[in-house]
Amino acid sequence: MSLLVVGLSHRSAPVSVLERATLNADAQIKLLQDTVAAEPAAEATLLATCNRIELYADVDKFHAGVAELSTLLAQHSGVGLDELTPHLYVHYEDRAVHHLFSVACGLDSMVVGEGQILGQIKDALATAQEMHTAGRLLNDLLQQSLRVGKRAHSETGIDRAGQSLVTFGLQQLSAGTAVDVWAKGKKALVIGAGSMSSLAAATLARAGVSEIVIANRTPDRAERLAQILNENEGGDTDVLARAVPMDSVPVELTRADIAISCTGATGLVLTAESVAAAVEGRTGESVATAEPAAKPAVRRAGSARTASSAVVGDHAQLAPTSVGTDEDCPLDLSAVQGTAGFSVLGEAAVAGMAAAELEQHAAWVDKGDVAARAPRGAAVLDPEADADAIAALVLAVATVGRVPERRRPEPVAEAPRPAPVLALLDLAMPRDIDTAVHRLLGVRLVDIESLAEASADAPMAADVDQVRRIVSDEVAAFSAAQRAAHITPTVVALRTMAADLVASEIARLDGRLPDLDDKERGEITQTVRRVVDKLLHAPTVRVKQLAAEPGGAGYADALRTLFDLDPETVASVSRAENNNENAKNRGRA
């Protein structure tokens, strides 16, 4: 059997695909059950966070495993396989181990170094243990990944390379101001009471907000979170926390300065209309929508008067067409034809031309058939409008001296937005807050998509290289341990066979020498056992060492062949070990 992971994350898929592929708790459990029920997989676990969905399995066939896991992910996520496949990644054996260890250390997180992923891996392990879908391999793998992640955080400064998603989101909202300065005294609304929402509430409390309101569909969880925050009063935070039902969110939003939403809802929790109404209720003024900045219009000289005023104003704008050529054209085509958007009939052709040359060009245009000159499929200027424009340029050149060089349209400055009165942080996947909120004046929204864009430019800490070395060392150690463990059932079967032979020979000796007393019989039994143990010690120790090295998997087969071990005996030892491991896991869960 071999380790296989198939998944998608913020690195491989756009947010629009990730949020559609999100699995609720029931779907996650059903996916695990269907995976272990499938032929290629013996055990499985699922790591599902706000920005990744990864299915880990112990499979006996690589290609069949990839096909089966991909199909199951598509079926349970509701995203078609054809659409999902381009965004899936696959890791196998050591590469799969390396990937999970990197994830546990925060190297693959949206915010490098964030430690929340360790709690999510722990939850994934607990769920797999509770559902009895994790056997020896995945239990060993996930538990070791937790140890590797903790080692990375304790031995390096990876924490300095990034923060939790909540902290990073608040930094984006504060726009360069220290979060504790920006948040101090503000009122906050937290929608949801899960692990991410709890982290958000705790982070806000430490940042110095004066009040935190918790809204959740399950009132008990909201009350519990509020109680925890209030019980810390007088500690490192001093905040008033209270719980409200979900239908109180519109009212609470009118009082809040900051709102963080992270729920498991499949639809929008806050629409643009509800946010606009909340801001209006807070300010007493209607909320305007920021229209996208209009693109500068390209003016086209349609008459002599228009063209003349355009030239005098130094903004002549004739729409360019494709490159044209013609014999007898007065332009030096070899010098100017490579210009982007150049046309022998357009503005770029006459820019900088002196009066005499301009008249020659005008005469050339008047004589020819514009449509015939233009390349096939190219845009064509109106001949009359073009002639009028050039005539106007001839009149204007006496004032200007030369036709001004072509200028790009001046960018239209976007109207300044008012300072936001409501800061929104959406950490849910699929998203809780309507993206149209981005256009509301007086509102600032940061969501998973904008966090991904911002984190792409975040500087990497020097400690990241040290963490990568830790990951590489731990992968090598884990793989060696797994290869050594692979031969253990064979070694146990060999020692069991030897013990059975010793017992058989001692029984035969008792039949031939019935007069032996207990002391003599004991001495003989111990002597025979010591001889067998000494004969087997060196080969079994050495075979474990060899099996731990790359390519050592074949030593188990060699041992079975040399000592004629029954394959079923080896398999029964392996099953017994797995049953014992699962029993321990059930106790831990």
Side-chain angles (χ1 to χ4, degrees):
M1 304 296 284
S2 300
L3 178 65
L4 173 68
V5 55
V6 178
L8 69 160
S9 73
H10 63 98
R11 295 185 181 275
S12 69
V15 172
S16 58
V17 174
L18 271 175
E19 64 181 358
R20 289 170 52 212
T22 302
L23 302 169
N24 58 33
D26 291 339
Q28 292 180 28
I29 291 173
K30 188 67 168 64
L31 175 57
L32 283 176
Q33 292 172 335
D34 289 352
T35 301
V36 294
E39 182 179 346
E43 49 184 296
T45 190
L46 180 69
L47 179 58
T49 72
C50 60
N51 51 35
R52 76 174 64 249
I53 302 170
E54 295 178 344
L55 185 56
Y56 292 79
D58 187 11
V59 299
D60 58 0
K61 298 182 181 71
F62 172 73
H63 292 96
V66 171
E68 188 66 33
L69 267 59
S70 301
T71 301
L72 288 170
L73 277 173
Q75 288 176 353
H76 289 276
S77 69
V79 179
L81 184 60
D82 290 343
E83 183 180 359
L84 193 64
T85 298
H87 306 296
L88 293 176
Y89 46 79
V90 174
H91 299 296
Y92 191 55
E93 294 187 330
D94 285 359
R95 290 302 306 170
V97 177
H98 189 281
H99 175 73
L100 180 59
F101 287 3
S102 297
V103 169
C105 292
L107 293 180
D108 197 60
S109 295
M110 185 177 293
V111 181
V112 173
E114 62 93 12
Q116 189 184 3
I117 187 65
L118 287 175
Q120 294 162 333
I121 293 175
K122 187 176 180 180
D123 291 342
L125 175 59
T127 300
Q129 290 174 346
E130 183 179 353
M131 300 303 301
H132 311 310
T133 62
R136 171 180 287 277
L137 174 61
L138 290 182
N139 274 291
D140 289 349
L141 174 69
L142 268 69
Q143 289 171 9
Q144 185 63 23
S145 72
L146 292 172
R147 288 190 284 268
V148 173
K150 292 175 183 177
R151 179 188 170 193
H153 284 280
S154 63
E155 295 183 12
T156 75
I158 189 66
D159 292 325
R160 297 193 297 268
Q163 314 82 23
S164 73
L165 210 57
V166 175
T167 305
F168 190 62
L170 291 176
Q171 287 180 344
Q172 299 305 305
L173 285 175
S174 65
T177 305
V179 172
D180 55 348
V181 174
W182 170 79
K184 189 172 182 61
K186 284 183 166 62
K187 296 178 180 179
L189 170 65
V190 175
I191 305 174
S195 58
M196 181 72 82
S197 298
S198 300
L199 176 62
T203 304
L204 287 169
R206 288 194 299 270
V209 297
S210 61
E211 181 185 39
I212 298 178
V213 177
I214 313 294
N216 192 56
R217 296 190 188 281
T218 306
D220 291 346
R221 297 190 68 175
E223 292 283 358
R224 177 60 180 156
L225 179 54
Q227 180 184 355
I228 292 172
L229 294 171
N230 286 324
E231 286 175 352
N232 196 42
E233 187 174 357
D236 60 345
T237 65
D238 187 11
V239 62
L240 174 64
R242 57 188 175 88
V244 298
M246 283 294 289
D247 56 13
S248 297
V249 166
V251 174
E252 296 297 338
L253 206 57
T254 64
R255 303 177 61 254
D257 303 296
I258 308 167
I260 299 180
S261 186
C262 186
T263 73
T266 55
L268 292 175
V269 174
L270 296 178
T271 63
E273 292 77 11
S274 63
V275 173
V279 175
E280 184 176 348
R282 179 189 180 94
T283 63
E285 300 176 358
S286 60
V287 181
T289 301
E291 295 294 339
K295 294 183 178 179
V298 177
R299 293 190 298 263
R300 177 175 175 179
S303 65
R305 178 176 296 178
T306 304
S308 177
S309 61
V311 173
V312 174
D314 204 21
H315 289 287
Q317 296 284 335
L318 294 181
T321 66
S322 300
V323 173
T325 59
D326 204 313
E327 293 182 2
D328 302 325
C329 177
L331 300 178
D332 181 4
L333 296 180
S334 62
V336 296
Q337 208 169 27
T339 306
F342 172 81
S343 166
V344 294
L345 306 176
E347 177 196 359
V350 297
M353 189 178 286
E357 296 168 331
L358 190 61
E359 289 177 355
Q360 291 177 4
H361 186 270
W364 175 77
V365 170
D366 285 340
K367 278 195 242 172
D369 180 359
V370 176
R373 289 196 184 106
R376 182 180 230 171
V380 179
L381 292 178
D382 179 9
E384 293 184 3
D386 190 69
D388 289 342
I390 293 178
L393 289 170
V394 173
L395 294 174
V397 80
T399 303
V400 179
R402 292 174 69 86
V403 176
E405 296 293 337
R406 186 183 187 195
R407 288 187 178 184
R408 293 187 177 183
E410 294 291 335
V412 177
E414 189 173 352
R417 296 175 66 105
V421 297
L422 178 60
L424 301 174
L425 178 57
D426 185 358
L427 298 175
M429 185 63 69
R431 68 190 81 205
D432 280 348
I433 303 176
D434 191 347
T435 54
V437 168
H438 278 295
R439 299 177 59 193
L440 297 179
L441 297 179
V443 179
R444 177 164 172 74
L445 170 64
V446 171
D447 55 18
I448 292 293
E449 195 163 15
S450 56
L451 284 176
E453 293 172 358
S455 64
D457 298 327
M460 298 288 285
D463 298 273
V464 169
D465 289 336
Q466 186 178 351
V467 173
R468 287 178 176 146
R469 288 193 292 272
I470 288 175
V471 169
S472 296
D473 292 345
E474 291 285 356
V475 169
F478 181 83
S479 299
Q482 289 299 307
R483 287 191 294 268
H486 179 70
I487 205 170
T488 298
T490 303
V491 172
V492 171
L494 174 61
R495 288 191 171 276
T496 300
M497 182 188 75
D500 290 343
L501 286 174
V502 169
S504 175
E505 289 300 319
I506 293 299
R508 198 158 67 93
L509 182 64
D510 284 343
R512 296 176 62 184
L513 300 173
D515 296 334
L516 288 175
D517 58 29
D518 291 342
K519 183 178 180 182
E520 292 171 334
R521 186 181 296 104
E523 286 291 338
I524 294 172
T525 301
Q526 285 295 102
T527 299
V528 175
R529 285 176 178 169
R530 280 197 296 270
V531 170
V532 172
D533 287 343
K534 287 182 178 181
L535 284 173
L536 292 180
H537 176 72
T540 53
V541 170
R542 184 61 180 145
V543 79
K544 287 183 178 180
Q545 294 172 344
L546 293 171
E549 297 175 0
Y555 286 100
D557 294 333
L559 206 60
R560 286 193 295 270
T561 301
L562 288 171
F563 287 92
D564 195 23
L565 297 176
D566 182 6
E568 180 55 34
T569 302
V570 176
S572 65
V573 172
S574 182
R575 285 194 298 270
E577 289 184 347
N578 285 333
N579 290 336
N580 292 335
E581 184 71 19
N582 289 336
K584 288 190 294 183
N585 292 332
R586 285 194 292 272
R588 282 195 291 263

